[in-house]
């Protein structure tokens, strides 16, 4: 008998006596089971970043450290924007792509140094793709996803979450932390 079952028996000892199982079944829709109350271990965290991600808060890094989780920083450049530039700008588009890749590497290096200084293991990747579909695809191999509130589109005072983050929060099956 687990702690929760024991607690229910003590709480209702004088009220239900031996009818514990009957009461437990009647209220099972309202009470979490022992299995539902257990936390699953968090070993890997996906943190998608882009040009709009300004920082990773220290409190969030402390949470990653408390989990003992490995962090995957994925810098995603918007493939649609790069494709459109290829069509319109020609040779200048290649230069733009190189600048954006250098900017992505700098961002990944900065965040990696910050997290590793805290003692957190970090894996990085940089690629062009869909900020929504690739995050959903990558999320399947991670225990939790941490999203910057302005990821994919700038957040504002009127809309504190970008539409991309709002969409991902509904579609990703894993737990989501928004910072």
């Amino acid at each position: 008998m687990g702690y929760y079952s024991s607690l229910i028996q003590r709480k209702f000892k004088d009220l239900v006596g031996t009818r514990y199982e009957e009461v437990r079944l009647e209220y099972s829709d309202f009470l979490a089971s022992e299995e539902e109350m257990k936390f699953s271990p968090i070993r890997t965290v996906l943190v998608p970043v882009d040009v709009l991600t300004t920082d990773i808060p220290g409190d969030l890094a402390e949470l990653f450290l408390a989990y003992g989780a490995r962090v995957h920083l994925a810098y995603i450049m918007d493939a649609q924007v790069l494709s459109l530039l290829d069509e319109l700008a020609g040779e200048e588009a290649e230069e733009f792509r190189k600048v954006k890749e250098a900017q992505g590497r700098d961002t990944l290096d900065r965040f990696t140094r910050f997290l590793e200084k805290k003692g957190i293991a970090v894996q990085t990747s940089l690629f062009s793709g869909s900020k929504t579909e690739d995050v959903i695809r990558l999320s399947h191999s991670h225990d939790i996803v941490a999203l910057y509130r302005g990821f994919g589109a700038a957040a504002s005072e009127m809309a504190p979450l970008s539409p991309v983050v709002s969409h991902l929060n509904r579609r990703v099956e894993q737990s989501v932390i928004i910072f």
Side-chain angles (χ1 to χ4, degrees):
M1 178 178 297
Y3 172 76
Y4 196 61
S5 302
S6 173
L7 182 67
I8 291 174
Q9 277 196 328
R10 282 183 287 152
K11 181 75 176 171
F12 298 104
K13 183 175 79 177
D14 296 332
L15 300 175
V16 295
T18 58
R19 294 185 20 220
Y20 167 74
E21 280 302 316
E22 180 182 332
V23 170
R24 190 184 64 77
L25 289 174
E26 287 180 17
Y27 289 92
S28 64
D29 290 341
F30 307 104
L31 302 172
S33 68
E34 298 280 335
E35 293 80 24
E36 292 170 332
M37 294 180 64
K38 291 181 180 173
F39 294 103
S40 58
I42 296 176
R43 295 185 184 96
T44 60
V45 179
L46 173 65
V47 183
V49 295
D50 62 5
V51 69
L52 299 169
T53 308
T54 56
D55 68 341
I56 295 176
D59 293 345
L60 187 60
E62 295 296 327
L63 183 64
F64 298 157
L65 186 62
Y67 287 141
R70 178 177 189 81
V71 174
H72 178 186
L73 294 170
Y75 191 96
I76 304 172
M77 298 182 297
D78 195 329
Q80 282 186 322
V81 171
L82 296 175
S83 174
L84 191 61
L85 281 172
D86 283 341
E87 291 176 18
L88 298 176
E91 293 179 12
E92 294 175 17
E94 186 59 29
E95 192 64 34
F96 179 80
R97 178 186 296 266
K98 288 179 183 174
V99 168
K100 288 298 176 188
E101 285 179 1
Q103 189 178 28
R105 273 188 232 102
D106 290 344
T107 300
L108 288 174
D109 289 345
R110 186 169 44 99
F111 291 160
T112 299
R113 280 192 306 272
F114 172 74
L115 292 172
E116 286 180 342
K117 190 181 287 185
K118 299 259 183 201
I120 299 167
V122 179
Q123 168 192 358
T124 62
S125 60
L126 182 141
F127 57 92
S128 64
S130 166
K131 292 187 180 189
T132 54
E133 296 307 316
D134 283 326
V135 169
I136 291 168
R137 179 182 52 82
L138 289 171
S139 71
H140 295 296
S141 58
H142 294 80
D143 299 318
I144 195 166
V145 178
L147 294 167
Y148 177 65
R149 62 185 167 83
F151 176 73
S156 66
E157 285 185 28
M158 297 297 289
L161 291 180
S162 77
V164 173
V165 171
S166 183
H167 178 75
L168 286 170
N169 191 31
R170 288 190 306 268
R171 295 238 357 244
V172 170
E173 293 175 5
Q174 285 73 15
S175 297
V176 173
I177 296 173
I178 299 173
F179 62 97

